[in-house]
Amino acid sequence: MRNDVSYIKRPNRPLQVYAIIFLIVLYTPVLFLPLFSFNDSIYVRFPLKGFTIQWYFELWERAQVWNSLMNSIKVGICVSIASTGLGIFAAKALTNYRLPGRPSIIGFIMLPLVVPGIIFGVALLVLLSQMGVPLSLYTVAIGHMIVCLPFSIATLLPRFEGFDRSIEEASADLGENAWWTFWRVTFPVVYPGVVASLLLSFTISFDEFIMAFFLSGTEPTLPMYIWGQLRFPQEFPSILALSSIILFVSFLLVFIGQWINRDDAYGK
Amino acid sequence: MTDTSTLSETGTPSKGASHLSRYFYKSPLSRGYGLLSPTLLLMTLGIVVPVCILLVMSFWTRQGFGFDTTFTTANYVKAFDQPIYMALMKRSLYVSAWATISTVLLAYPMAYYVAFHVHKNKMMWIVLMTLPFWTSYLLRVFAWKVVLGYEGVINSFLMGMGVIDAPLEFLLYSPTAVIVTLTHAWAAFAILPMYVSLEKIDKSLLEAATDLGDGPIWRFIRITLPLSMPGIISASFLIFIPTTGDYITPALLGGPDGMMIGNLIQLQFGAVNNWPMGASLSIILMLFIASIGLVFLFLTKLARERIS
């Protein structure tokens, strides 16, 4: 018996090599962006010419970049707070109460994870234009809420499911009202999920393109600005610099979120 | 907004202020739905209502700069009659089918490795594998444009090495470029469901198979593969459906030969300015997706039944 167990657990070298190659290939294309962003040439090609940070300086002086960055941050902060807030209520409702139709409710909420974004973007655009609502950052935020909410709920649900309800009941028995019970008992337990949801939904909103593509008016978000610049090959180096910064910050935010929320959500 | 009031009302049952609050306290069902209501309201206003309007508009026609709102199925007839529409639909399904197959094939061994052979720092591996998925999709696709471009990484590298004299033109602007990029972009997402179903497999079953004389290959075919089938099916579902309507990848890397249905829909709302036609195409895409979704549901049910 012991032999068999060790046989199954024996390290599998080919598989290990495959896994490492897989990770390298997963990250390589994205790493070319920072590599060429430091290249002292307007052309994005080998051989590399020389090291420069001029593209980053050039970026710094562009008012449009700062504008769209601020737009994206504004939308991202509002969306992450709103979607995490709604997510907390929804996750609590879905775990604490035996709601009839729970699987279909969850299926409905998770729809935007699966259905191509273009359909919801186009549908919202049609609705807003029929209602005569002008496109603005608000309409972008509505679109982003729909994209982010399923992720928030999916992040928060495991936290609430692993939560021992009896301590909430104890708090209620000791005379705390629901609001204070939430703040003093529930929140400290679920807060890793809340932080993860805030960071994740901010990143998703910040990087989201297709909803913003259909729903933004005259004020572009940062991905919209990048999209507009992609038509001009001479803009490539500064776009590479901008992309590198965005990727770095996104990786950092998501990593922090996943790490804070690590134990329950993925088993071990 | 309604939630906080519901919460505070229900939270003080002993003081029992109004009939309403007592009713809320007594009925956990209404408390539950009360907490859910903002989410459901948002999803209804943001998804159900817009899609209904989209459906209505798909039966209109364009008239100058406005719409002719008399009910007609002309757009649908056009979509099925003129070959361009269905050709793009078919290509979308073809491209995302290949992207799905290659993603699952490439990601499965990775999920298998982490589920069975990683014992330390499992979380680190999972975070590392899934991290790219959360970062900008637009930028990941743009990175592939840099790699595959006419003067991109691969071409300039090969030319620098003297392997080729002129840039390989087939790299960019083809359905293959779209498939490669989609595979890479979704690989991180495909791992999770497969990992979860592999992780759930009872290891004693594998020991039993070994005891009964199965070698590694038979053990895999008879136990691991069938038991991880639900994960494989849901991974395929999670990649196939969203990629069918993808816009960014075919727009940046597809060129005219790699255009997909999403690009055509965008054109109707943009340059072509025929919103009703765009609405019909969106509805047709949704119907395709829904029927494929049903097939996947059926397959999942089948796989679950075979396991139990």
Side-chain angles (χ1 to χ4, degrees):
Chain A
M1 197 66 186
R2 264 195 65 209
N3 262 336
D4 298 333
V5 174
S6 64
Y7 173 70
I8 286 169
K9 284 200 170 172
R10 198 168 61 186
N12 185 334
R13 285 288 161 215
L15 209 54
Q16 202 169 13
V17 172
Y18 179 84
I20 290 165
I21 294 173
F22 186 97
L23 277 185
I24 293 172
V25 172
L26 195 62
Y27 282 87
T28 304
V30 164
L31 290 177
F32 281 116
L33 300 181
L35 177 71
F36 283 107
S37 76
F38 292 114
N39 186 25
D40 192 8
S41 161
I42 194 136
Y43 301 107
V44 182
R45 65 179 177 208
F46 284 121
L48 298 170
K49 285 279 185 306
F51 181 85
T52 178
I53 50 169
Q54 73 173 81
W55 308 119
Y56 288 86
F57 273 115
E58 198 178 283
L59 217 55
W60 187 268
E61 282 154 17
R62 284 192 200 182
Q64 271 181 306
V65 173
W66 287 104
N67 263 336
S68 42
L69 174 69
M70 281 307 146
N71 290 341
S72 279
I73 290 178
K74 267 188 259 174
V75 173
I77 288 178
C78 296
V79 167
S80 68
I81 291 174
S83 101
T84 305
L86 292 189
I88 290 173
F89 291 135
K92 198 167 159 53
L94 287 170
T95 45
N96 282 13
Y97 304 95
R98 283 202 190 141
L99 301 175
R102 185 178 187 267
S104 19
I105 291 174
I106 292 185
F108 173 55
I109 292 173
M110 296 300 161
L111 264 185
L113 277 183
V114 186
V115 179
I118 194 165
I119 290 182
F120 292 141
V122 159
L124 265 174
L125 173 68
V126 167
L127 174 73
L128 292 167
S129 75
Q130 288 301 303
M131 283 170 34
V133 179
L135 297 179
S136 65
L137 288 180
Y138 291 103
T139 52
V140 175
I142 295 172
H144 284 185
M145 278 298 289
I146 288 159
V147 177
C148 291
L149 198 51
F151 285 106
S152 284
I153 294 177
T155 311
L156 288 161
L157 257 185
R159 278 282 152 192
F160 278 85
E161 269 164 1
F163 180 77
D164 183 4
R165 277 207 70 200
S166 57
I167 57 170
E168 258 182 349
E169 281 157 16
S171 158
D173 286 347
L174 293 169
E176 289 279 41
N177 68 30
W179 189 239
W180 279 108
T181 299
F182 177 79
W183 273 115
R184 298 189 14 182
V185 179
T186 317
F187 187 75
V189 178
V190 296
Y191 102 92
V194 173
V195 175
S197 161
L198 282 172
L199 292 173
L200 203 61
S201 44
F202 177 81
T203 316
I204 292 169
S205 160
F206 191 84
D207 289 333
E208 204 283 336
F209 172 74
I210 199 82
M211 286 284 184
F213 187 47
F214 285 105
L215 300 175
S216 63
T218 49
E219 304 157 290
T221 60
L222 205 52
M224 286 300 295
Y225 173 78
I226 293 175
W227 179 259
Q229 299 298 305
L230 285 183
R231 271 174 298 164
F232 312 111
Q234 73 272 21
E235 299 291 343
F236 262 34
S238 30
I239 292 305
L240 287 170
L242 183 57
S243 310
S244 310
I245 300 172
I246 295 175
L247 282 171
F248 179 73
V249 175
S250 305
F251 270 115
L252 202 65
L253 287 182
V254 175
F255 186 80
I256 294 171
Q258 302 281 58
W259 198 248
I260 289 175
N261 194 29
R262 64 183 180 276
D263 36 5
D264 299 14
Y266 294 107
K268 287 169 220 174
Chain B
M1 286 297 231
T2 47
D3 284 276
T4 45
S5 61
T6 321
L7 261 176
S8 49
E9 269 177 297
T10 52
T12 50
S14 48
K15 288 159 202 159
S18 68
H19 286 290
L20 194 67
S21 75
R22 209 168 294 155
Y23 168 73
F24 267 121
Y25 180 67
K26 274 187 185 151
S27 161
L29 215 66
S30 56
R31 284 180 68 173
Y33 281 121
L35 284 168
L36 256 184
S37 59
T39 300
L40 292 180
L41 188 73
L42 178 81
M43 300 307 258
T44 310
L45 289 179
I47 293 177
V48 180
V49 176
V51 169
C52 290
I53 306 278
L54 193 72
L55 184 66
V56 171
M57 184 178 263
S58 73
F59 292 108
W60 295 353
T61 40
R62 177 177 64 164
Q63 199 175 49
F65 288 108
F67 307 121
D68 178 1
T69 56
T70 41
F71 181 92
T72 164
T73 53
N75 293 325
Y76 289 95
V77 174
K78 197 171 150 196
F80 285 102
D81 272 1
Q82 293 188 4
I84 169 83
Y85 298 106
M86 280 305 121
L88 282 185
M89 192 69 227
K90 259 187 226 151
R91 186 190 289 150
S92 305
L93 296 174
Y94 168 84
V95 165
S96 47
W98 274 112
T100 308
I101 292 168
S102 47
T103 310
V104 169
L105 283 181
L106 290 170
Y108 188 87
M110 191 70 200
Y112 182 90
Y113 175 74
V114 178
F116 287 107
H117 293 288
V118 174
H119 305 293
K120 272 189 244 162
N121 297 328
K122 224 170 200 171
M123 186 58 206
M124 194 70 194
W125 275 87
I126 292 168
V127 169
L128 264 183
M129 285 185 316
T130 48
L131 205 52
F133 182 76
W134 304 111
T135 59
S136 173
Y137 183 59
L138 175 66
L139 295 184
R140 280 180 290 144
V141 175
F142 173 52
W144 273 100
K145 200 182 165 94
V146 170
V147 172
L148 298 176
Y150 190 71
E151 292 200 308
V153 172
I154 293 181
N155 276 330
S156 61
F157 181 75
L158 288 179
M159 281 168 74
M161 298 287 283
V163 181
I164 51 171
D165 297 327
L168 302 169
E169 285 180 42
F170 63 87
L171 287 178
L172 197 61
Y173 303 132
S174 67
T176 319
V178 178
I179 293 173
V180 169
T181 310
L182 286 177
T183 303
H184 183 262
W186 290 84
F189 200 47
I191 289 173
L192 270 185
M194 295 195 287
Y195 165 77
V196 170
S197 69
L198 282 166
E199 178 73 26
K200 269 196 285 192
I201 294 176
D202 187 352
K203 305 290 184 289
S204 61
L205 289 174
L206 298 176
E207 286 162 25
T210 317
D211 285 349
L212 293 170
D214 267 354
I217 293 169
W218 275 111
R219 199 175 57 207
F220 175 76
I221 293 173
R222 288 213 272 227
I223 308 213
T224 317
L225 189 63
L227 284 177
S228 60
M229 212 32 117
I232 295 175
I233 295 170
S234 52
S236 319
F237 176 76
L238 284 174
I239 301 162
F240 188 79
I241 304 288
T243 49
T244 318
D246 192 38
Y247 172 77
I248 299 178
T249 311
L252 281 181
L253 298 158
D257 294 334
M259 197 171 154
M260 282 164 57
I261 192 79
N263 308 82
L264 191 63
I265 292 174
Q266 193 277 327
L267 272 182
Q268 305 298 322
F269 285 92
V272 176
N273 198 20
N274 188 349
W275 286 31
M277 190 68 216
S280 312
L281 290 174
S282 311
I283 297 293
I284 293 173
L285 175 60
M286 275 184 82
L287 291 177
F288 267 98
I289 287 171
S291 42
I292 294 163
L294 284 178
V295 172
F296 274 110
L297 268 181
F298 176 73
L299 285 177
T300 318
K301 223 181 135 210
L302 213 67
R304 288 246 164 82
E305 270 166 15
R306 286 195 64 184
I307 287 172
S308 60

